[in-house]
Amino acid sequence: MQARRGQSSYRDRTDEFFGIVETLRRSTAPDAANNVPYGGGGGGRREDPRSAVANQSEFKKRAAVIGLAINQTSQKLSKLAQLAKRSSVFDDPTREIQELTAVIKQEISSLNSALIDLQAVRNSHNDERTISRDTTTHSATVVDDLKNRLMDTTKEFKDVLTLRTENMKIHEIRRQRFTSNPSKESTNPFVRQRPLASKPAATQPAPLPWASSSSSSSSSSQLVPRRQGEAESSPLLQQSQQQQQQQQQMVPLQDTYMESRAEALHNVESTIHELSNIFTQLATMVSQQGEIAIRIDQNMEDTLANVEGAQSQLARYLNSISSNRWLMIKIFFVLIAFLMVFLFFVA
Amino acid sequence: MKITALLVLKAAPETTDPVILSNASDVSHFGYFQRSSVKEFVVFVGRTVASRTPPSQRQSVQHEEYKVHAYNRNGLCAVGFMDDHYPVRSAFSLLNQVIDEYQKSFGETWRSAKEDSSQPWPYLADALTKFQDPAEADKLLKIQRELDETKIILHKTIDSVLARGEKLDSLVEKSSDLSMASQMFYKQAKKTNSCCTIL
């Protein structure tokens, strides 16, 4: 494929390119059929005066850059995959792996955006100038190819990450087994418990801590080293090792005890803090509700006042209704008086 | 979560076997015929563990389905047989208490003991029954438990306070509606009263 320029071996066909440009210029075909390698052609493009070809060369430059970057990313990815596979329990190159992962992620995202830009450029170029069918298909093919490459790289990256997480899980399990809680051991000399004697992987000092915490320097310890069997060498060396391991075992146990007490105290303290928070919230809520209660009280008083006023009004009204007859009678008399006067005038 | 046995031993220097000073065990959940053998087993394993615990150290060992916890303080060693669920910390605080109690009641007489004493010490038997519940032994655990209960109660309280708040809100709405209505009533009454000149 034409975009594979990351590797060191490429052929510089700049001169060929110049010849072709001359030919093309003579034959008025604008661009098309450039089978010149991108890496070598990148420098020569600048001398091309035609904007159409310049546009396309711009496209090709970018495609070349993207192709190169994809290659570099896949190289880094293969390094990362190696690192992930290689990591053992104890010398785990976590930091490097994480750095590499971050770098690769960044590169992939930038490649993605660059590819999108490339596509946009291609579209805009296609709109501006006269479209030659070959050119469009060619540029489309190039873009597709780059996209496929990028997708493959991303897929590989994902696989490597999955592999890495699985490895980490396995390491965690192993680590837990080997530096397990000392209370899970057997001290009883006639109960043979060596649950992890079968785990050979890179844990040379690890079987000793549990098996040894029970033994002391007494003669009975002779039984114990023999029972521990295959992985150890001489009993004497082992005894001293065991004593040492035992000392180390005792101190962590004390620490564990103390630590657990400290942890319990911390828990108690934090619980008390939470409780104080809850109490404060409770107090706030109750005071707010007290305010609401006061409002309700006020509303009820207003209602009472209104209703009393209304009642007095109605009482007055009732009074006025009942005593209204006088006025009516008076008005009636006045009317009759007028009628009389009227009748006198007419009759 | 139970304690099967509690032992107090004098942990002699490494060469000799420790001497049992007091022993209390609860074997009621074993069948009748197994009880004596269980007792012997307890004695033997207790001696072994005590002999292998260096002074001023604590140790926990898993043996079949029991956890044996041992605490050796200057030659006086307390050993407890608990099951797996018993929290380790409570176990050790219990052993601490036992040792303190023993030293208080027997002073230094135990140092001269040369053979297993068979006198029962009532405190140990009481401790065995009382401390079946790990919260008793470990004050921290008890405090934590009480605090958790308090927290639950407080949560419930807050829920009921929230419900109360909702009810108060609805009451406020209703009371404001009521006061509006009464105000309208008053205005209406006044209006009716004012224009009474006609009829």
Side-chain angles (χ1 to χ4, degrees):
Chain A
M1 294 278 192
Q2 289 143 332
R4 199 193 305 266
R5 272 312 122 212
Q7 289 138 8
S8 47
S9 61
Y10 69 101
R11 290 174 18 177
D12 189 4
R13 298 164 76 173
T14 324
D15 303 336
E16 257 183 70
F17 163 65
F18 284 158
I20 292 181
V21 163
E22 287 307 315
T23 337
L24 287 179
R25 225 178 266 163
R26 264 179 252 134
S27 66
T28 69
D31 31 23
N34 274 326
N35 52 356
V36 177
Y38 294 134
R45 299 280 181 197
R46 283 190 208 103
E47 303 174 19
D48 201 323
R50 291 200 203 165
S51 65
V53 188
N55 278 340
Q56 199 190 13
S57 71
E58 165 82 28
F59 168 74
K60 285 196 180 128
K61 244 190 280 184
R62 280 183 173 196
V65 162
I66 290 182
L68 183 61
I70 290 185
N71 236 317
Q72 284 173 348
T73 313
S74 53
Q75 273 178 2
K76 283 199 193 126
L77 191 60
S78 58
K79 235 190 289 176
L80 177 67
Q82 234 183 0
L83 273 179
K85 262 183 249 167
R86 174 177 81 82
S87 58
S88 70
V89 181
F90 287 109
D91 56 339
D92 197 30
T94 319
R95 210 169 19 99
E96 296 164 17
I97 289 185
Q98 275 173 354
E99 284 174 17
L100 212 50
T101 319
V103 160
I104 288 182
K105 222 184 274 187
Q106 225 179 342
E107 277 184 10
I108 287 185
S109 47
S110 64
L111 279 173
N112 240 336
S113 48
L115 207 53
I116 296 178
D117 285 340
L118 185 67
Q119 211 169 6
V121 159
R122 181 176 73 86
N123 287 340
S124 67
H125 287 170
N126 278 344
D127 291 337
E128 291 173 16
R129 53 189 173 81
T130 58
I131 302 173
S132 146
R133 204 176 44 119
D134 284 341
T135 323
T136 24
T137 38
H138 166 72
S139 34
T141 323
V142 165
V143 168
D144 283 337
D145 178 43
L146 289 175
K147 263 196 218 158
N148 283 338
R149 291 260 202 89
L150 189 61
M151 237 187 333
D152 290 338
T153 320
T154 326
K155 236 184 276 179
E156 270 183 48
F157 184 49
K158 272 194 206 119
D159 289 337
V160 167
L161 282 180
T162 348
L163 175 66
R164 166 100 185 120
T165 33
E166 279 175 19
N167 268 344
M168 300 257 297
K169 253 187 254 169
I170 296 181
H171 294 332
E172 263 317 300
I173 292 178
R174 276 197 201 154
R175 203 172 282 149
Q176 270 181 14
R177 280 213 197 129
F178 290 148
T179 59
S180 67
N181 196 348
S183 67
K184 291 226 188 305
E185 320 148 23
S186 155
T187 178
N188 204 335
F190 38 82
V191 172
R192 230 186 124 127
Q193 287 184 6
R194 289 190 296 126
L196 292 182
S198 56
K199 233 190 201 311
T203 55
Q204 229 282 332
L208 296 178
W210 348 271
S212 70
S213 78
S214 54
S215 66
S216 61
S217 59
S218 67
S219 56
S220 63
S221 71
Q222 292 291 345
L223 281 174
V224 182
R226 221 171 297 144
R227 302 256 171 158
Q228 287 180 2
E230 308 92 23
E232 279 86 291
S233 49
S234 72
L236 225 66
L237 173 63
Q238 204 187 345
Q239 259 185 34
S240 59
Q241 248 180 346
Q242 279 175 0
Q243 283 170 29
Q244 192 189 12
Q245 301 284 352
Q246 185 189 2
Q247 283 309 106
Q248 292 172 357
Q249 203 53 32
M250 280 303 141
V251 171
L253 186 52
Q254 284 284 75
D255 290 345
T256 320
Y257 175 63
M258 292 303 165
E259 270 171 20
S260 68
R261 281 183 85 90
E263 195 190 313
L265 272 177
H266 277 304
N267 279 345
V268 167
E269 186 194 344
S270 58
T271 318
I272 294 184
H273 272 301
E274 282 171 24
L275 277 180
S276 83
N277 266 345
I278 293 180
F279 270 116
T280 328
Q281 279 179 15
L282 193 60
T284 319
M285 276 202 278
V286 168
S287 70
Q288 283 172 355
Q289 287 177 0
E291 224 178 85
I292 294 181
I294 290 180
R295 270 216 317 238
I296 293 178
D297 197 25
Q298 201 133 21
N299 277 341
M300 295 315 289
E301 282 176 11
D302 287 343
T303 308
L304 185 62
N306 281 334
V307 167
E308 276 182 7
Q311 189 205 18
S312 67
Q313 293 281 337
L314 282 178
R316 255 195 287 160
Y317 185 53
L318 180 65
N319 277 341
S320 63
I321 286 277
S322 60
S323 59
N324 212 8
R325 300 268 169 76
W326 277 114
L327 281 169
M328 231 165 55
I329 294 171
K330 280 183 194 155
I331 290 172
F332 203 58
F333 274 145
V334 169
L335 266 173
I336 289 182
F338 258 111
L339 264 173
M340 297 288 205
V341 168
F342 200 58
L343 276 170
F344 269 129
F345 263 116
V346 168
Chain B
M1 279 203 278
K2 53 189 286 18
I3 311 182
T4 307
L6 286 175
L7 290 160
V8 179
L9 303 103
K10 170 182 135 180
E14 314 290 358
T15 48
T16 61
D17 268 342
V19 174
I20 294 191
L21 299 166
S22 176
N23 183 348
S25 38
D26 169 25
V27 285
S28 48
H29 57 279
F30 290 113
Y32 181 71
F33 295 108
Q34 298 167 331
R35 284 183 196 177
S36 53
S37 58
V38 167
K39 278 206 178 125
E40 294 202 3
F41 153 81
V42 156
V43 160
F44 181 75
V45 174
R47 248 198 259 266
T48 324
V49 173
S51 67
R52 288 186 182 169
T53 316
S56 322
Q57 293 282 1
R58 299 180 167 91
Q59 192 177 198
S60 300
V61 172
Q62 177 82 24
H63 172 65
E64 288 170 10
E65 69 262 12
Y66 294 110
K67 271 208 172 90
V68 185
H69 303 281
Y71 174 46
N72 183 339
R73 186 202 286 187
N74 301 328
L76 190 60
C77 186
V79 178
F81 288 67
M82 286 100 176
D83 66 356
D84 288 335
H85 301 296
Y86 205 90
V88 180
R89 227 185 35 251
S90 324
F92 281 122
S93 64
L94 167 58
L95 294 179
N96 259 338
Q97 280 181 26
V98 163
I99 287 197
D100 289 335
E101 195 57 44
Y102 193 85
Q103 277 186 327
K104 249 195 302 191
S105 43
F106 291 109
E108 295 292 312
T109 56
W110 57 270
R111 284 201 194 265
S112 56
K114 288 276 184 289
E115 51 190 29
D116 297 345
S117 79
S118 46
Q119 303 154 326
W121 180 32
Y123 175 74
L124 208 56
D126 288 339
L128 191 60
T129 46
K130 188 164 73 140
F131 295 130
Q132 290 293 339
D133 177 18
E136 292 293 317
D138 192 9
K139 294 278 189 321
L140 282 177
L141 212 58
K142 205 192 319 193
I143 291 177
Q144 183 70 28
R145 208 182 276 191
E146 283 179 10
L147 281 174
D148 287 335
E149 281 172 23
T150 313
K151 209 156 69 151
I152 291 180
I153 294 180
L154 275 179
H155 280 302
K156 284 194 201 144
T157 312
I158 290 211
D159 285 338
S160 42
V161 165
L162 281 171
R164 176 174 178 256
E166 273 177 39
K167 287 185 191 149
L168 278 177
D169 280 334
S170 76
L171 267 182
V172 118
E173 296 270 338
K174 285 187 190 157
S175 69
S176 66
D177 286 345
L178 194 56
S179 99
M180 282 295 132
S182 70
Q183 213 166 13
M184 299 303 287
F185 178 41
Y186 176 61
K187 280 190 189 146
Q188 197 71 18
K190 206 152 74 156
K191 203 171 65 159
T192 332
N193 207 8
S194 64
C195 58
C196 64
T197 52
I198 313 168
L199 201 67

